[in-house]
Structure formats: C-alpha cells, structure tokens
C-alpha cells in the first residue's frame, strides 16, 4: 500500500516524521493507559502543540484517537503521574494537574476531587529529598488539602490499595469539593478491543471538562 504524497514528503523508508509515528503508536499500544502516557509525553516534548494540533495528528490513523486529547494533560511530568491520573479519571474522579501551592513556588502533581494533593514519587527523583518532601506536604496541608504520596510500587503493583486510600481520605474530608469551571464530563468513553486494537473511544460529548462525582465510592 502506497503512503499518501503528503506522508511520504514528511519522511522516508528509514525515517518517519515523529508526528506520524505518534499517530500510529497510540492505536497500536497494548492498553488505553499506554496510549494516554504516549500523548502526555508527546505534548510535554513539544511533538504536538495545542489541542487542535494534537487532535489532527492523533486522528491520522484512526478518527477516534483524537479523543485522547481530552484524556491527556500537557502538565503530566512522569509516567507514574500519567498512569495514576488516567486511572483516577477512568474511575470517575476529577483530576487537576500541576496545581500551585498558595504562597509558595511549589507545585502539586495533581489534586483529586478538590481534596487530595497527590504526589507521585519516583525513587530516583525523591530518595534524597525526604525533608523537602515532608515540608511540601506541610505546605499542601496548610493550603487546605490532604497530602498523599504514591511511589512506583504503589502505582505499578499496589494500585488497589493506593486508590482505596485516596478514596478513604476523600470520604474523611466529607466527599468531593466543587471545582470552579468544571462542567459536565466530555471525556470520551473507553470502549473494548476490536480486531487488532486493544482500545477504542466513543464519540465525545458536547460539553468540555470533567464531571465531579457526587461521592467517592
């Protein structure tokens, strides 16, 4: 099968334009979570830019892949953060990435349901930062959020325990808090596998933003 002229102009038999490679990679991943991680990385690396640009690139192989834009976040700074944020969103939680801590220059990896300030700690980046991380937790608490840290093992191998703890903290705080500017969810529904694809997305809803759950179950 011959590639379209515009595609062949962007690469050769031994070099592929990274945007075309991304469009192919996301539909050939082993899971939906891996696809979101790829898009988060591509946005952070500048391979795709604004939402419209990212949607055009992602839809080159399969139209529904454009919906990954709604699930991805250019603020995600690690695989752990991408994976945890995607799992929480799929479970119905509202996730805001890279949230400033009031009165400081510090940034929280993500805030869950307006209650939990979640930090995802890879060992290589945090094993020498114990005291600084504890001080950041204190700043998060003073900002009215419940600090919680999840390391590599907690995200990769013990996610059930981790998400149960997050939900318990949300319940202890009285449930999800309203998040300004959040309307009905427009996150495209994740569908099951078909043919060679491990995941598909339904047509996105009309409104933008994520729906804040009435209660964390």
């Amino acid at each position: 099968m011959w590639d379209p002229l515009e595609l062949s102009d962007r690469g050769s038999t031994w070099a592929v334009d990274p945007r075309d490679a991304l469009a192919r990679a996301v539909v050939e991943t082993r899971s939906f979570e891996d696809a979101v991680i790829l898009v988060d990385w591509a946005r952070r690396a500048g391979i795709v830019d604004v939402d419209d640009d990212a949607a055009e690139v992602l839809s080159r192989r399969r139209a529904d892949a454009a919906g990954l834009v709604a699930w991805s976040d250019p603020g995600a700074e690690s695989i752990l953060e991408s994976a945890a944020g995607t799992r929480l969103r799929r479970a119905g939680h509202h996730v805001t990435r890279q949230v400033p801590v009031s009165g400081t220059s510090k940034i929280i990896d993500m805030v869950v349901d307006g209650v939990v300030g979640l930090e995802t700690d890879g060992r290589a980046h945090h094993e020498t930062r114990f005291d600084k991380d504890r001080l950041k937790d204190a700043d998060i608490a003073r900002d009215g959020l419940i600090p919680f840290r999840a390391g590599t093992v907690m995200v990769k191998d013990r996610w059930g325990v981790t998400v149960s703890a997050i939900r318990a903290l949300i319940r202890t705080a009285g449930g999800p808090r309203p998040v300004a500017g959040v309307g009905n969810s427009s996150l495209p529904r994740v569908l099951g596998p078909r043919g060679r694809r491990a995941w598909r997305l339904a047509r996105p809803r009309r409104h933008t933003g994520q729906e804040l759950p009435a209660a964390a179950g």
Side-chain angles (χ1 to χ4, degrees):
M1 179 177 176
W2 293 98
D3 287 330
L5 180 60
E6 65 273 15
L7 179 60
S8 61
D9 285 346
R10 292 196 293 267
S12 68
T13 55
W14 55 269
V16 179
D17 183 276
R19 289 156 66 90
D20 293 321
L22 174 66
R24 179 171 183 172
V26 294
V27 298
E28 294 182 354
T29 56
R30 294 176 299 175
S31 70
F32 174 73
E33 182 179 301
D34 287 342
V36 177
I37 289 171
L38 274 174
V39 179
D40 282 351
W41 166 80
R43 299 182 80 167
R44 189 168 66 252
I47 293 173
V48 290
D49 191 6
V50 296
D51 285 359
D52 287 346
D53 176 56
E56 186 278 319
V57 171
L58 295 170
S59 64
R60 288 176 181 176
R61 285 278 176 167
R62 293 290 185 270
D64 69 297
L68 286 168
V69 172
W71 281 93
S72 73
D73 195 318
E77 295 188 337
S78 70
I79 291 176
L80 284 181
E81 191 177 332
S82 291
T86 299
R87 292 175 192 177
L88 288 165
R89 283 171 168 164
R90 291 193 70 177
H93 295 280
H94 179 268
V95 175
T96 305
R97 292 243 174 87
Q98 300 300 299
V99 179
V101 181
S102 299
T104 78
S105 60
K106 300 172 184 177
I107 303 293
I108 308 170
D109 287 348
M110 67 189 85
V111 173
V112 185
D113 288 349
V115 174
V116 175
L118 176 60
E119 294 279 290
T120 49
D121 296 346
R123 178 176 297 174
H125 298 288
H126 289 270
E127 61 184 359
T128 62
R129 292 175 46 87
F130 184 87
D131 289 331
K132 289 183 178 179
D133 286 343
R134 302 292 83 71
L135 287 169
K136 184 175 182 179
D137 289 345
D139 287 332
I140 292 172
R142 282 196 294 270
D143 208 17
L145 299 170
I146 302 175
F148 185 77
R149 292 183 176 270
T152 302
V153 171
M154 294 175 69
V155 175
K156 183 179 178 182
D157 303 318
R158 301 294 303 277
W159 180 249
V161 172
T162 301
V163 73
S164 293
I166 292 171
R167 288 171 173 167
L169 290 173
I170 293 169
R171 288 195 300 270
T172 299
R177 298 173 188 167
V179 178
V182 175
N184 292 329
S185 174
S186 68
L187 292 176
R189 186 164 53 93
V190 182
L191 305 177
R194 176 182 291 176
R196 295 182 178 180
R197 290 191 60 186
W199 63 272
R200 295 169 296 125
L201 288 176
R203 187 185 300 272
R205 301 174 193 173
R206 178 177 301 175
H207 300 290
T208 60
Q210 297 178 72
E211 182 179 355
L212 189 66

